[in-house]
């Protein structure tokens, strides 16, 4: 077992207080957005095995089979397949979507061939991997996810009575009421509407923001009015109104596959994703936006997001699983109640304590206590680990093989 030393990413949208509170630290006065746990080269965790701190990606590269297990290496290759995070949003994140595996490989190779530096701000693809993800709320968590039905989005925009929004509304209503869920016409309407929204003139955006400010703190427009307050000059305010608004309660989760447009607005969550940092943005950000590449990645299908709730794991007492349709990551949760639990050691895993104190006991008797906000990497030794604690919550990130 390795206690992890993790990096906090200070993105501008981060909360000033949430991560310091989780980690038991004093706020710095600067936004703190994401706590990264894993082996992504952008901010790998570090572990000390008696010779000083070493990067987790370097430890894995030195012995992939010993760290990840033969089954994981055979299935996913010699790198940790997932990246685990705590995300704390103080203001909205960018509206974004993530590529498929084929799109990521092609985009990464193309940008390499053009000689674009890996850390260049105009770069779309920072690695060759896809980025499906799951977020699980630690308190109330709010965001946008997936497209509204064209008629619903048109109703929302039309009621604002901003003449400059006509190009977006016209594309949403081009098929009248004939759109059927999944129909090609619906897809083209959403594609046209997003394209038009991202091409709006500054005056239309300004007027839309002014009208949203008059809609009040409650009701259907409330989340978009709050977005407009933080991003008054951003076309993403209108693009965001094409998306469904959602709220998760503590313990509820949401899974997002490739191409699903989304933006997280506020709250704290754990996030588990494939080991990638590929993001195509549509707005609510000063960062690079590549509209043609974004449109090539987004899946233009309407549908409301469906919260994922945990289900008991057969054969592992006390473990609740958040089901996902992929094998590169697996998220589960233990609520420790004074009864010792046991997990197998056949796969690489990261354990994160989000409440109370959890004790990990290895097969050789080694003990590691995790306070709130602390995490540990468990190599795939094959040996079980015992978990104990009272009034504690422990999230488990691993793979399915």
């Amino acid at each position: 077992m390795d206690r992890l030393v993790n990096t906090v990413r200070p993105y501008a949208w981060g909360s000033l207080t949430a991560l310091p509170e989780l980690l038991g630290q004093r706020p710095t006065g600067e936004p703190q957005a994401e706590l990264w746990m894993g082996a992504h080269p952008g901010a790998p965790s570090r572990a000390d095995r008696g010779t000083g701190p070493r990067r987790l990606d370097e430890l894995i590269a030195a012995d992939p089979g010993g760290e990840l297990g033969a089954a994981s290496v055979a299935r996913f290759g010699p790198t940790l397949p997932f990246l685990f995070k705590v995300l704390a949003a103080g203001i909205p994140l960018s509206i974004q979507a993530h590529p498929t595996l084929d799109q990521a490989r092609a985009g990464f190779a193309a940008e390499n061939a053009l000689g674009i530096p890996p850390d260049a701000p105009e770069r779309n693809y920072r690695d060759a991997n896809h980025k499906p993800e799951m977020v699980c709320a630690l308190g109330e968590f709010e965001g946008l996810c997936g497209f509204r039905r064209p008629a619903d989005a048109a109703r929302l925009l039309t009621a604002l009575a901003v003449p400059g929004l006509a190009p977006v509304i016209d594309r949403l209503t081009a098929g009248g009421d004939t759109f059927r869920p999944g129909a090609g016409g619906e897809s083209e309407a959403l594609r046209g509407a997003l394209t038009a929204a991202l091409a709006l003139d500054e005056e239309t955006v300004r007027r839309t923001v002014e009208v949203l400010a008059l809609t009040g703190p409650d009701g259907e427009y409330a989340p978009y009015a709050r977005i407009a307050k933080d991003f008054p000059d951003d076309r993403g305010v209108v693009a965001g109104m094409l998306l469904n608004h959602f709220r998760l309660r503590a313990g509820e989760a949401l899974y997002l596959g490739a191409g699903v447009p989304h933006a997280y607005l506020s709250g704290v969550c754990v996030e588990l994703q494939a080991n990638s940092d590929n993001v195509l943005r549509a707005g609510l950000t000063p960062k690079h936006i590549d509209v043609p590449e974004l449109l090539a990645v987004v899946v233009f299908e309407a549908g409301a997001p469906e919260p994922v709730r945990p289900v008991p794991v057969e054969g592992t007492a006390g473990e609740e699983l958040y089901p996902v349709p992929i094998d590169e990551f697996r998220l589960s949760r233990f609520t420790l109640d004074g009864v010792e639990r046991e997990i197998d050691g056949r796969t690489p895993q990261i354990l994160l304590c989000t409440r109370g104190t959890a004790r990990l006991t290895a097969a050789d008797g080694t003990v590691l206590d995790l306070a709130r906000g602390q995490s540990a990497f468990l190599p795939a030794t094959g040996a079980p680990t015992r978990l104990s604690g009272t009034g504690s919550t422990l999230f488990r990130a691993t793979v399915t093989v």
Side-chain angles (χ1 to χ4, degrees):
M1 297 182 293
D2 298 294
R3 185 188 304 278
L4 293 178
V5 177
N6 304 306
T7 297
V8 173
R9 308 305 296 265
Y11 305 138
W13 49 261
S15 167
L16 299 178
T17 58
L19 285 181
E21 180 183 352
L22 176 72
L23 299 171
Q25 300 173 352
R26 292 175 62 89
T28 65
E30 300 295 327
Q32 298 190 16
E34 293 181 347
L35 178 74
W36 281 31
M37 298 163 284
H40 191 282
S45 299
R46 297 168 300 286
D48 189 343
R49 295 182 175 175
T51 58
R54 291 188 61 190
R55 292 167 49 131
L56 186 57
D57 56 339
E58 293 176 349
L59 291 170
I60 291 172
D63 183 13
E67 302 291 342
L68 305 176
S72 181
V73 172
R75 181 77 185 277
F76 307 113
T79 57
L80 188 66
F82 59 82
L83 176 60
F84 201 19
K85 299 178 181 179
V86 180
L87 183 153
I91 64 172
L93 284 67
S94 60
I95 300 173
Q96 58 189 258
H98 308 302
T100 65
L101 186 57
D102 287 344
Q103 288 168 335
R105 287 171 173 168
F108 185 65
E111 291 185 340
N112 283 347
L114 291 172
I116 303 175
D119 58 351
E122 71 273 18
R123 181 126 191 171
N124 293 317
Y125 297 95
R126 301 190 180 278
D127 52 65
N129 202 11
H130 62 166
K131 193 175 175 281
E133 63 191 43
M134 169 169 271
V135 294
C136 179
L138 296 183
E140 185 172 284
F141 189 76
E142 186 180 10
L144 308 176
C145 180
F147 285 105
R148 293 173 175 268
R149 298 292 177 203
D152 187 31
R155 173 189 57 78
L156 200 67
L157 292 171
T158 300
L160 294 177
V162 177
L165 293 177
V168 184
I169 298 167
D170 289 347
R171 284 160 178 78
L172 291 168
T173 57
D177 296 324
T178 62
F179 294 133
R180 300 183 307 279
E186 180 181 77
S187 176
E188 288 307 307
L190 293 171
R191 177 186 293 274
L194 181 59
T195 303
L198 296 179
L200 288 172
D201 60 88
E202 294 179 1
E203 175 59 23
T204 296
V205 174
R206 184 191 64 79
R207 181 58 184 153
T208 302
V209 168
E210 288 177 350
V211 174
L212 284 170
L214 300 175
T215 58
D218 302 310
E220 195 171 21
Y221 289 102
Y224 307 102
R226 293 197 301 272
I227 292 170
K229 184 177 180 180
D230 289 316
F231 296 92
D233 303 315
D234 199 307
R235 295 178 179 88
V237 172
V238 179
M241 297 178 73
L242 303 176
L243 307 182
N244 299 288
H245 174 245
F246 72 86
R247 278 194 178 92
L248 298 178
R249 295 175 295 181
E252 292 183 329
L254 193 66
Y255 173 77
L256 297 97
V260 177
H262 61 281
Y264 303 135
L265 303 183
S266 64
V268 182
C269 69
V270 296
E271 180 180 32
L272 186 56
Q273 60 181 69
N275 193 25
S276 174
D277 197 25
N278 286 327
V279 178
L280 283 301
R281 298 176 180 87
L284 309 186
T285 179
K287 294 183 179 180
H288 176 62
I289 296 177
D290 184 336
V291 173
E293 193 66 23
L294 171 77
L295 296 176
V297 163
V298 168
V299 175
F300 290 96
E301 293 180 359
E306 296 184 5
V308 179
R309 296 176 176 86
V311 296
V313 176
E314 185 176 351
T316 306
E319 185 177 22
E320 297 178 298
L321 176 69
Y322 291 90
V324 294
I326 62 170
D327 294 334
E328 283 159 282
F329 61 76
R330 176 188 184 276
L331 180 66
S332 61
R333 179 183 67 178
F334 285 88
T335 301
L336 301 174
D337 54 5
V339 178
E340 192 172 69
R341 309 298 187 186
E342 185 176 278
I343 55 176
D344 69 65
R346 294 174 295 173
T347 57
Q349 39 200 317
I350 293 176
L351 303 180
L352 167 69
C353 181
T354 59
R355 183 169 63 100
T357 299
R359 170 161 291 187
L360 318 181
T361 305
D364 64 1
T366 302
V367 172
L368 181 61
D369 289 329
L370 296 181
R372 185 169 181 254
Q374 294 183 331
S375 58
F377 173 67
L378 278 60
T381 63
T385 298
R386 300 193 304 277
L387 313 176
S388 58
T390 301
S392 306
T393 301
L394 194 68
F395 281 90
R396 180 191 189 196
T398 185
V399 297
T400 300
V401 294

